[in-house]
């Protein structure tokens, strides 16, 4: 993919105005015919110059105005339509020069002001139209009027440039229209405050972000390698050593702290761009800004932040390998102390190129993904948290990847960081999912222990959660599990339903696997789960696991038509899984991920039990006969034992398979 140019205009519309007789029409005709016209009409027709013959490769419309043929209303309309206004005066006519400040500049300002929208305070937003002052008929005098014009420019910041030319000799004609184009495509006012001789706050803020992104080793300096990389990214060409030395010399001469250890500091970087603008090289700074996603208002472009991503119904979004590698490199770059975790300060520095962090570090991180003993996000937790955001809000993931510089470092859009999975209907048809991230909805009555079940997924010792109250608004927990040797991410969403009769919304039902939770020590808990299953899941294709929590307490008979085991048998579900934070056993999460990975395919769950069965006969028979023996008779006996166990295993599997034929 080529370099990204933010908010590139489709065309430039140039309007020429000025007193009668200053040569507006002659300038246009001389540009087009490349010779001075002997007969000049009162007004030239609108002319379109193709993109391939303009310096900026943008189609250009040139519009003439004649007070003889057109009204004041027509003039106002043309001013509003124009992207840039050229005010033409005759260098040999002082009156036409004076009329720039007494009539034409105030007219353009008032016209733009009256047509502007109002801001949030109810005040009109004065849209300053870029203006180029054009002194025509330079062939008639032997002096320059530029000094007088420069004085005018100090009072009118919207004046982008001034030029003296001659329609008769064709002197500076092409330059005049180039400056007009440049005033539109590379405007000065968003970048530079003429009165203060300094960059605008918005421009400084943008360049500071760019500096941080290009500072790969995060030492607050741009060394030769980083400067060369910056040059290649923005201009597709390396920075020659001699030119690099000259640039450093200029910075050192003007900004004492602009160079440190032969590298460019932030102050030096900002000065360099200020110098570009002062020398009329706005296009250099604009090329940098646009490469990093900024539009003409110095805002991040919508197209840059949120490129169009097509997600078919039933598909989901995950991080691609390139997305993961970028995030790993970013983590390692800001893990200054190399402890494998981001401290709050390191986390803050990492997101300093963004408007704000995408999540709360103090609450969201600690409650949604794995952290270390200090509550700091580890590399594993970091990838988990991004995986979670990519599944539930992929647009936000793309935005933050852009803020963090993915588009620049990877030289491509964020689309390559996202993997769109195949549709779920295909997974169901194949009875196997190709996804690596699954969403599990944990549903149960208040007090059933579902929040503890979710939080237990994040820590090694679940017993630490015993007796804790969970009061945060964090509803998602994510961690990874192994499903037949492959790492999968499982997202548990805590569905908060306060009353048994509260209906579930479609987005609360639709998931890869459902975990219906009841309190096995509460006789009135299971009824809610049973009703939820019958109402929302009995006719769906979503795999369901029923879980009885607090199994370390006395199990109570449930006040329902059927007991949990009978209910599961009737609806061809796996037997209820008994769970307790106190036991610290985590096979539940592997079961849930396995069910999500093999939707509508009981063989996956059967294989889970087969794995356990194999472990049993391995430990029983091989331990009995000894692993290290070389006696062939012993191995013959072991082989017969294994064969017997295998036959028994197939009988058990056949029985389980028969009971699970219509399982959901």
């Amino acid at each position: 993919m080529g370099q990204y140019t933010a908010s590139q205009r489709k065309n430039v519309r140039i309007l020429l105005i000025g007193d009668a007789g200053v040569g507006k029409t002659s300038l246009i005709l001389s540009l087009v015919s490349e010779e001075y016209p002997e007969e000049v009409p009162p007004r030239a027709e609108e002319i379109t110059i193709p993109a391939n013959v303009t310096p900026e490769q943008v189609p250009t419309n040139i519009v003439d105005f004649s007070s003889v043929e057109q009204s004041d209303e027509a003039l106002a309309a043309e001013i509003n339509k124009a992207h840039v206004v050229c005010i033409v005066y005759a260098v040999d006519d002082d009156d036409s020069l004076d009329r720039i400040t007494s009539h034409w500049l105030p007219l353009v300002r008032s016209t733009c002001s009256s047509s502007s929208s109002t801001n949030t305070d109810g005040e009109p937003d004065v849209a300053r139209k870029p203006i180029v002052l054009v002194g025509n008929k330079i062939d008639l005098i032997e002096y320059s009027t530029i000094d007088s014009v420069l004085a005018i420019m100090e009072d009118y910041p919207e004046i982008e440039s001034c030029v003296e030319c001659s329609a008769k000799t064709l002197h500076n004609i092409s330059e005049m229209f180039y400056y007009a184009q440049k005033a539109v495509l590379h405007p000065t006012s968003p970048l530079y405050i003429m009165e203060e001789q300094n960059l605008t706050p918005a421009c400084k803020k943008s360049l500071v972000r760019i500096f941080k992104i290009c500072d790969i080793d995060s030492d607050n300096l741009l060394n030769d390698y980083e400067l060369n990389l910056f040059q290649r990214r923005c201009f597709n060409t390396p920075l020659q050593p001699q030119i690099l030395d000259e640039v450093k010399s200029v910075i050192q001469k003007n900004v004492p702290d602009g160079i440190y250890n032969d590298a460019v500091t932030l102050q030096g970087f900002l000065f360099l761009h200020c110098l570009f603008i002062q020398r009329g090289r706005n296009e250099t700074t604009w090329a940098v800004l646009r490469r990093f996603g900024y539009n003409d208002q110095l805002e991040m472009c919508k197209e840059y932040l949120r490129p169009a991503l097509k997600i078919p119904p039933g598909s989901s979004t995950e991080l691609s390998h390139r997305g993961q590698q970028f995030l790993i490199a970013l983590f390692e770059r800001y893990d200054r102390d190399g402890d494998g975790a981001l401290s709050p300060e390191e986390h803050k520095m990492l997101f300093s190129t963004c408007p704000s962090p995408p999540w709360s570090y103090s609450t969201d991180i600690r409650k949604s993904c794995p952290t270390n003993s200090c509550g700091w996000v580890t590399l594993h937790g970091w990838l988990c948290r991004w995986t979670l955001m990519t599944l539930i809000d992929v647009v936000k993931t793309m935005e933050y990847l852009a803020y963090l510089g993915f588009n620049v470092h990877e030289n491509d859009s964020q689309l390559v960081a996202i993997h769109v999975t195949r549709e779920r209907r295909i997974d169901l048809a194949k009875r196997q999912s190709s996804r690596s991230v699954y969403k599990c909805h944990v549903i149960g009555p208040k007090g059933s222990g579902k929040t503890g079940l979710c939080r237990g997924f994040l820590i090694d010792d679940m017993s630490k959660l015993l007796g804790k109250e969970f009061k945060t608004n964090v509803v998602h927990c994510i961690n990874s599990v192994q499903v037949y040797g492959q790492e999968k991410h499982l997202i548990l969403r805590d569905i908060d339903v306060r009353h048994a009769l509260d209906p579930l919304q479609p987005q609360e039902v639709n998931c890869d696997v459902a975990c219906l939770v009841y309190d096995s020590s509460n006789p009135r808990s299971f009824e809610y789960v049973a009703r939820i299953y019958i109402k929302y899941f009995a006719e769906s294709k979503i795999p369901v696991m029923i879980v009885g929590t607090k199994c370390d307490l006395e199990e109570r008979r449930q006040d329902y038509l059927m007991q949990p085991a009978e209910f599961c048998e009737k609806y061809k579900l796996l037997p209820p899984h008994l769970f307790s934070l106190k036991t610290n056993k985590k096979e539940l999460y592997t079961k849930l991920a396995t069910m999500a990975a093999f939707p509508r395919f009981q063989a996956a769950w059967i294989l889970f039990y087969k794995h356990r069965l194999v472990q049993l006969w391995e430990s029983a028979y091989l331990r009995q006969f000894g692993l290290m023996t070389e006696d062939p008779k012993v191995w013959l006996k072991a082989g017969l034992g294994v064969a017997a166990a295998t036959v028994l295993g197939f009988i058990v599997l056949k029985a389980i398979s028969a009971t699970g034929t219509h399982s959901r």
Side-chain angles (χ1 to χ4, degrees):
M1 177 179 171
Q3 287 195 10
Y4 180 86
T5 302
S7 188
Q8 181 68 18
R9 286 186 177 272
K10 294 181 179 179
N11 72 313
V12 172
R13 189 175 181 85
I14 303 172
L15 172 66
L16 274 66
I17 61 175
D19 291 348
V22 295
K24 303 184 297 297
T25 307
S26 298
L27 287 170
I28 297 173
L29 297 178
S30 293
L31 173 74
V32 175
S33 63
E34 297 185 351
E35 61 181 11
Y36 182 68
E38 294 299 331
E39 294 185 8
V40 181
R43 174 173 168 264
E45 295 296 324
E46 180 176 327
I47 293 171
T48 299
I49 301 176
N52 59 352
V53 297
T54 65
E56 296 290 343
Q57 298 294 298
V58 179
T60 302
N61 302 96
I62 302 175
V63 181
D64 191 11
F65 174 77
S66 171
S67 57
V68 175
E69 294 188 354
Q70 294 172 282
S71 64
D72 292 342
E73 290 76 13
L75 174 60
E78 288 294 352
I79 290 174
N80 285 323
K81 285 196 296 182
H83 298 135
V84 57
V85 176
C86 292
I87 301 178
V88 183
Y89 67 96
V91 293
D92 65 334
D93 183 355
D94 290 341
D95 289 341
S96 70
L97 180 59
D98 293 339
R99 287 260 296 168
I100 292 174
T101 53
S102 65
H103 176 70
W104 292 110
L105 283 170
L107 173 66
V108 174
R109 273 194 176 184
S110 62
T111 302
C112 294
S113 176
S114 62
S115 64
S116 297
S117 59
T118 57
N119 59 28
T120 53
D121 299 322
E123 299 290 334
D125 279 328
V126 179
R128 289 182 172 177
K129 188 82 65 175
I131 291 174
V132 176
L133 298 183
V134 181
N136 190 24
K137 305 184 182 182
I138 191 67
D139 57 291
L140 299 180
I141 61 172
E142 296 182 355
Y143 58 87
S144 174
T145 61
I146 289 296
D147 288 341
S148 300
V149 173
L150 290 176
I152 298 174
M153 289 179 69
E154 292 180 2
D155 297 328
Y156 290 85
E158 61 265 45
I159 299 176
E160 289 282 332
S161 57
C162 58
V163 59
E164 292 183 332
C165 58
S166 170
K168 190 169 187 176
T169 65
L170 307 184
H171 178 68
N172 276 350
I173 296 293
S174 297
E175 287 79 0
M176 167 208 158
F177 288 99
Y178 167 71
Y179 286 135
Q181 271 193 336
K182 185 177 172 182
V184 178
L185 301 175
H186 314 299
T188 303
S189 55
L191 308 181
Y192 193 74
I193 304 173
M194 200 71 69
E195 300 89 338
E196 300 178 10
Q197 299 287 291
N198 202 353
L199 299 173
T200 63
C203 183
K204 278 185 182 179
K205 183 179 178 182
S206 304
L207 291 173
V208 167
R209 171 181 168 264
I210 292 169
F211 181 91
K212 288 180 178 179
I213 289 173
C214 295
D215 180 17
I216 298 171
D217 55 12
S218 299
D219 63 351
N220 296 318
L221 297 168
L222 294 183
N223 57 36
D224 288 1
Y225 172 76
E226 291 165 339
L227 285 169
N228 260 300
L229 209 55
F230 167 79
Q231 178 77 9
R232 285 180 178 276
R233 286 167 178 163
C234 295
F235 305 104
N236 279 332
T237 180
L239 200 57
Q240 299 300 324
Q242 182 181 349
I243 296 176
L244 183 56
D245 290 340
E246 290 174 359
V247 168
K248 289 180 184 178
S249 178
V250 170
I251 295 173
Q252 184 75 68
K253 184 178 179 180
N254 291 274
V255 186
D257 57 352
I259 302 292
Y260 180 78
N261 284 347
D262 200 36
V264 177
T265 66
L266 175 60
Q267 290 74 20
F269 186 72
L270 294 176
F271 164 77
L272 198 58
H273 284 281
C274 198
L275 190 63
F276 288 148
I277 298 166
Q278 289 170 348
R279 293 183 176 179
R281 291 176 55 190
N282 301 9
E283 62 272 17
T284 302
T285 298
W286 274 116
V288 172
L289 291 166
R290 286 170 177 147
R291 180 67 182 92
F292 283 80
Y294 291 95
N295 61 17
D296 291 350
Q297 291 73 45
L298 292 184
E299 297 170 345
M300 297 287 283
C301 285
K302 175 184 174 183
E303 297 82 3
Y304 189 85
L305 291 174
R306 299 180 288 276
L309 177 65
K310 185 177 181 180
I311 306 173
S315 294
S316 62
T317 46
E318 303 174 0
L319 288 170
S320 70
H321 178 71
R322 282 179 62 179
Q324 291 177 358
Q325 290 304 305
F326 173 79
L327 292 170
I328 290 171
L330 195 67
F331 181 97
E332 293 173 344
R333 172 178 164 186
Y334 283 92
D335 180 18
R336 303 287 180 84
D337 51 14
D339 63 349
L342 293 179
S343 68
E345 185 59 30
E346 290 170 339
H347 185 270
K348 181 180 178 182
M349 287 299 298
L350 190 152
F351 285 110
S352 63
T353 60
C354 308
S356 62
W359 48 67
S360 166
Y361 192 83
S362 58
T363 56
D364 198 348
I365 282 290
R366 297 185 181 191
K367 307 301 182 185
S368 65
C369 63
T371 61
N372 66 7
S373 57
C374 299
W376 299 352
V377 65
T378 61
L379 176 58
H380 174 62
W382 169 255
L383 290 175
C384 282
R385 193 60 187 77
W386 278 93
T387 298
L388 168 61
M389 187 164 73
T390 303
L391 184 75
I392 64 176
D393 192 350
V394 68
V395 172
K396 191 173 182 181
T397 291
M398 291 195 294
E399 285 182 8
Y400 274 87
L401 286 173
Y403 289 137
L404 293 167
F406 178 89
N407 311 52
V408 181
H409 288 303
E410 297 293 320
N411 201 33
D412 219 328
S413 83
Q414 312 93 298
L415 294 178
V416 300
I418 307 299
H419 168 64
V420 178
T421 67
R422 71 187 183 192
E423 297 177 49
R424 195 166 185 272
R425 61 180 179 82
I426 301 176
D427 288 343
L428 290 171
K430 292 181 177 291
R431 301 192 172 217
Q432 182 174 352
S433 173
S434 61
R435 304 180 186 189
S436 62
V437 184
Y438 303 115
K439 185 165 55 175
C440 171
H441 288 182
V442 183
I443 307 170
K446 186 176 178 60
S448 61
K450 55 187 173 63
T451 305
L453 183 152
C454 292
R455 298 288 171 81
F457 189 33
L458 305 179
I459 61 177
D460 294 330
D461 186 1
M462 295 190 295
S463 61
K464 291 180 179 179
L465 299 175
L466 287 169
K468 284 193 174 183
E469 291 188 21
F470 307 104
K471 297 181 179 179
T472 64
N473 295 324
V474 178
V475 298
H476 292 100
C477 297
I478 180 171
N479 206 340
S480 62
V481 294
Q482 291 289 321
V483 177
Y484 302 120
Q486 293 186 337
E487 185 180 64
K488 304 290 186 180
H489 283 92
L490 182 65
I491 296 172
L492 304 180
R493 179 184 173 186
D494 188 346
I495 304 294
D496 187 19
V497 182
R498 299 186 179 278
H499 304 288
L501 296 179
D502 288 352
L504 294 180
Q505 300 302 314
Q507 64 270 22
E508 294 176 320
V509 175
N510 189 28
C511 57
D512 297 305
V513 59
C515 178
L516 304 186
V517 180
Y518 72 97
D519 179 356
S520 63
S521 67
N522 181 351
R524 304 196 63 182
S525 185
F526 180 71
E527 180 179 2
Y528 174 86
V529 165
R531 292 183 183 278
I532 286 291
Y533 176 81
I534 293 170
K535 185 173 182 180
Y536 296 103
F537 295 99
E539 300 301 325
S540 79
K541 297 178 180 179
I542 299 171
V544 175
M545 170 74 77
I546 290 181
V547 177
T549 60
K550 307 179 186 180
C551 67
D552 55 297
L553 303 178
E554 180 185 355
E555 185 174 1
R556 301 289 299 275
R557 183 175 179 79
Q558 296 295 312
D559 296 339
Y560 185 62
L561 300 172
M562 291 175 282
Q563 294 306 296
E566 297 174 297
F567 184 88
C568 291
E569 184 177 358
K570 176 181 177 180
Y571 287 98
K572 302 297 186 284
L573 299 173
L574 289 176
H577 182 99
L578 298 182
F579 175 86
S580 171
L581 293 174
K582 186 176 287 188
T583 61
N584 210 36
K585 294 181 179 179
K586 297 201 170 188
E587 66 269 18
L588 168 64
Y589 307 114
T590 304
K591 282 186 181 181
L592 291 170
T594 304
M595 293 169 71
F598 297 90
R600 301 288 294 163
F601 193 38
Q602 288 297 323
W605 312 336
I606 294 166
L607 285 173
F608 181 85
Y609 292 108
K610 177 182 176 183
H611 175 70
R612 298 294 297 159
L613 183 64
V614 169
Q615 286 182 330
L616 287 174
W617 64 252
E618 277 181 348
S619 59
Y621 283 95
L622 299 184
R623 193 185 309 115
Q624 175 183 350
F625 294 114
L627 287 172
M628 302 304 294
T629 181
E630 296 185 4
D631 187 346
K633 293 182 180 179
V634 172
W635 281 108
L636 178 60
K637 293 178 181 179
L640 292 173
V642 169
T646 304
V647 172
L648 178 62
F650 280 123
I651 294 172
V652 174
L653 292 177
K654 186 175 181 181
I656 296 176
S657 180
T659 61
T661 303
H662 298 93
S663 173
R664 294 175 171 82

